[in-house]
Amino acid sequence: MARKLLPIGIQTFREIRERDCYYVDKTGFAVRLAEEGKHYFLSRPRRFGKSLFLDTLKELFAGSQELFAGLQARDRWDWSVRHPVVRLDFSGGDFKEPGYLRANLAAQLAAIERRTATERCADTAPERLSHLLETLHERSGQRVAVLVDEYDKPILDALEEPEVARASRDYLRGLYSMIKFCDAHVRFCFLTGVSKFSKVSLFTGLNNLIDITLDPSYSSICGYTEEDLRTVFGPELEGLDRKRVRDWYNGYTWGGAERVYNPFDVLLLFRNREFAAWWFETGTPTFLVRTLAERRVHAATLDGMLASRKLLGTFDVGRIATEALLFQTGYLTVAGVETEGGRKFYRLGYPNREVRESLNESLLDYLTGDAWRPEEHLGPLRRILQEGDFAGLEERIRALFAAIPHDWYRRNDTDCFEGHYASVMYAYFASLGQDVRAEDSGCRGRADLALRAGGRMYVFEFKVVERAGTGAAMAQLRERGYADKYRHLGVPVQLVGVEFSKRTRNVERFETEPA
């Protein structure tokens, strides 16, 4: 198989096909959507191929048959029918400024009017959109395909300016309502975005949208499957450890059995031949990390969160469920689906190593005021765990907590609780790529942390000495037999009791003993 051009940053279906780039065929999904329904909504994280799929829909409805040679849609679509297409794209621009949304939308509508030789009939955007849809339908004799890319970006950009965000939300509500009002002129409607705002807040008028975000049959509508890597990108896989590729980048799912890779990660890996947090580094999650810290959401509790379908869609200005925020932005994915009392629940988890390490590193950065330097810890920590150097481990833990500014504690009272220390320790080990589990359950309780590294199993218990008393951490490890769960692994098990002081906000007592 000959090597082709990697479509890095190319979101135009025509360019990918005409330049003979690698392309993972998603056209079958496009045809199926058009055949089975009319109004759709899809939420996926940034850089997951939403814009490319939307552009594929544009070329399909426009009847660009020559671009679909050899693809699934080629023999499944009536190419004799061409539909007008109205596409709105909010992926560009900075919508923090009041009034920018109106100006941006006016410019987009003006461009469509010029391109289609349609006379401007009004000053307000909803009325201009209505006139466009009606005119294009009447002129061509075919209903219009309406495509909206990153429908929510004008709101998300301004989340830290709530008044601007609410104004943008209310303005867009009127625009999207017009699509339903003009339903007689619409053949197909598809909206994409990162988040799913509730129908009450944004889609009151467009309440007939079919949300395929968590539809298992569309789980791989964006992203690359394992089979895609093998069949499409075969030449690029030479020299790469497939197991390592999966560990770093595979793992996203939206309720389906098949897991997918983030396309951006895969393409950058193939170009640079280096494993790195390519996707994560393109968007620093400052708002996310600050929100988690302000809500006192411990890093140790993120992996394994349970949420209902309704909760995952609870997203609005000033009312964002933690689970929805993490899921919709791509920092957690569906790890499993559970049913209880006839209701479906989603067990969330980190999709892969990239997100797990990078998010926890960002949390530590926030806690330590950027004093945290992972490169200074990674090598020494591996040696310490490999050699069972417990004095070195205590020294590392002390240095970590010493890096957290006292000002951080003045804004929080978390230093009173064991959960805070467990959370920091979880973020520490996870950010350095260690196999760590929080609240690992056994028959007699749950250990705070379980870490497998260096041919050993480390079982941690954390206590605040002013609350529990001296020696309580190790006593609990012994009395509850936390080590019993790990004896079948055939590796040495080490108990580690760490007691912190509220006064010093650091280690007061550090005990270890073999189980």
Side-chain angles (χ1 to χ4, degrees):
M1 187 188 300
R3 300 184 75 168
K4 297 185 177 184
L5 180 68
L6 292 166
I8 298 172
I10 302 177
Q11 300 178 1
T12 306
F13 180 68
R14 177 174 292 276
E15 182 178 358
I16 285 178
R17 299 295 289 166
E18 290 180 344
R19 296 183 66 185
D20 194 28
C21 300
Y22 287 111
Y23 175 67
V24 173
D25 190 356
K26 302 292 185 179
T27 64
F29 286 116
V31 173
R32 181 178 161 197
L33 288 167
E35 290 176 342
E36 294 182 354
K38 185 172 180 178
H39 297 278
Y40 292 97
F41 169 77
L42 174 69
S43 167
R44 285 293 185 270
R46 58 188 171 82
R47 295 188 178 273
F48 240 92
K50 300 187 298 296
S51 296
L52 176 58
F53 185 74
L54 210 71
D55 200 67
T56 306
L57 286 167
K58 182 196 78 173
E59 298 293 354
L60 186 76
F61 280 100
S64 304
Q65 182 178 357
E66 72 281 4
L67 301 179
F68 291 82
L71 301 180
Q72 296 175 38
R74 174 62 180 79
D75 298 324
R76 294 172 53 188
W77 190 254
D78 183 357
W79 300 104
S80 66
V81 179
R82 294 173 179 260
H83 294 271
V85 178
V86 170
R87 178 176 178 176
L88 299 176
D89 185 352
F90 295 106
S91 61
D94 184 348
F95 294 89
K96 296 186 183 71
E97 291 297 319
Y100 180 78
L101 172 59
R102 290 175 182 265
N104 177 280
L105 183 56
Q108 291 196 57
L109 291 172
I112 298 171
E113 289 163 347
R114 285 194 303 271
R115 188 171 61 251
T116 60
T118 303
E119 183 181 355
R120 174 174 174 170
C121 70
D123 292 329
T124 52
E127 284 66 33
R128 291 174 71 181
L129 177 61
S130 173
H131 180 65
L132 267 171
L133 297 178
E134 182 178 357
T135 301
L136 294 176
H137 181 199
E138 291 178 350
R139 183 186 302 165
S140 66
Q142 298 295 335
R143 292 182 174 87
V144 184
V146 181
L147 309 174
V148 184
D149 199 7
E150 302 293 355
Y151 86 101
D152 53 346
K153 187 174 181 291
I155 308 170
L156 298 181
D157 276 2
L159 280 179
E160 296 184 77
E161 303 290 340
E163 291 305 313
V164 177
R166 290 189 184 94
S168 295
R169 178 198 62 193
D170 296 342
Y171 185 70
L172 289 172
R173 182 193 297 136
L175 179 73
Y176 299 143
S177 296
M178 188 57 71
I179 298 175
K180 183 178 180 181
F181 179 78
C182 296
D183 192 60
H185 306 297
V186 175
R187 163 63 179 87
F188 184 83
C189 173
F190 196 84
L191 282 75
T192 75
V194 169
S195 60
K196 181 193 174 186
F197 280 82
S198 67
K199 289 184 177 180
V200 173
S201 69
L202 189 56
F203 293 128
T204 306
L206 194 55
N207 55 8
N208 55 342
L209 284 172
I210 299 173
D211 183 2
I212 60 172
T213 300
L214 285 169
D215 186 331
S217 62
Y218 288 105
S219 186
S220 59
I221 193 171
C222 292
Y224 299 156
T225 66
E226 192 71 39
E227 183 68 7
D228 292 333
L229 262 64
R230 185 184 67 82
T231 58
V232 178
F233 296 101
E236 304 298 330
L237 290 169
E238 294 180 14
L240 292 173
D241 183 336
R242 290 293 299 278
K243 184 176 183 301
R244 195 177 181 200
V245 174
R246 284 191 292 270
D247 179 48
W248 264 89
Y249 302 121
N250 197 11
Y252 285 95
T253 180
W254 287 268
E258 200 162 34
R259 295 183 175 273
V260 298
Y261 293 83
N262 182 315
F264 187 78
D265 272 325
V266 169
L267 296 176
L268 267 291
L269 170 67
F270 291 158
R271 185 186 73 178
N272 300 321
R273 318 302 291 180
E274 179 183 348
F275 290 90
W278 303 117
W279 172 78
F280 193 93
E281 291 172 357
T282 61
T284 306
T286 307
F287 173 77
L288 170 68
V289 171
R290 184 167 61 250
T291 299
L292 293 177
E294 289 173 352
R295 295 181 181 181
R296 302 178 186 176
V297 178
H298 292 154
T301 66
L302 299 183
D303 196 8
M305 282 183 162
L306 191 65
S308 66
R309 187 185 187 97
K310 180 179 179 181
L311 184 63
L312 291 181
T314 302
F315 202 104
D316 199 1
V317 181
R319 190 172 66 92
I320 307 172
T322 302
E323 294 84 349
L325 179 62
L326 288 160
F327 171 69
Q328 294 181 18
T329 51
Y331 298 105
L332 293 182
T333 193
V334 175
V337 182
E338 303 173 15
T339 303
E340 184 176 332
R343 295 181 62 196
K344 185 180 286 187
F345 293 89
Y346 298 89
R347 182 71 64 181
L348 305 180
Y350 294 116
N352 49 42
R353 177 176 174 177
E354 177 197 20
V355 176
R356 181 168 172 262
E357 291 184 12
S358 300
L359 181 57
N360 280 285
E361 183 178 324
S362 292
L363 288 168
L364 282 180
D365 283 343
Y366 183 86
L367 288 174
T368 61
D370 294 329
W372 159 248
R373 296 288 183 268
E375 63 276 6
E376 297 175 4
H377 287 255
L378 184 56
L381 181 66
R382 285 178 177 167
R383 179 194 61 77
I384 286 167
L385 296 174
Q386 184 70 39
E387 298 176 359
D389 177 4
F390 302 111
L393 181 60
E394 178 183 358
E395 181 183 346
R396 286 285 154 184
I397 295 174
R398 287 183 179 276
L400 172 65
F401 283 93
I404 301 177
H406 277 222
D407 181 63
W408 192 89
Y409 289 105
R410 282 197 289 271
R411 294 179 280 118
N412 302 271
D413 59 358
T414 54
D415 54 323
C416 300
F417 305 102
E418 289 85 356
H420 162 68
Y421 298 101
S423 180
V424 174
M425 289 303 303
Y426 177 91
Y428 177 66
F429 289 127
S431 70
L432 297 175
Q434 303 300 314
D435 181 7
V436 59
R437 299 175 184 177
E439 297 286 337
D440 207 19
S441 298
C443 60
R444 298 176 63 187
R446 297 182 296 183
D448 285 335
L449 285 184
L451 170 68
R452 185 169 185 175
R456 293 178 176 79
M457 198 76 201
Y458 297 84
V459 185
F460 289 84
E461 186 66 27
F462 304 108
K463 296 291 183 186
V464 175
V465 71
E466 287 90 348
R467 291 167 58 90
T470 302
M474 182 58 72
Q476 184 166 321
L477 286 166
R478 295 193 198 106
E479 293 167 6
R480 300 193 182 179
Y482 287 155
D484 296 345
K485 178 178 180 178
Y486 310 103
R487 296 188 189 282
H488 73 284
L489 297 176
V491 297
V493 181
Q494 192 76 23
L495 303 180
V496 185
V498 187
E499 293 167 6
F500 294 88
S501 168
K502 179 185 175 183
R503 178 179 56 83
T504 64
R505 286 119 178 183
N506 212 317
V507 176
E508 181 78 10
R509 183 183 179 92
F510 186 93
E511 293 183 275
T512 68
E513 64 178 50

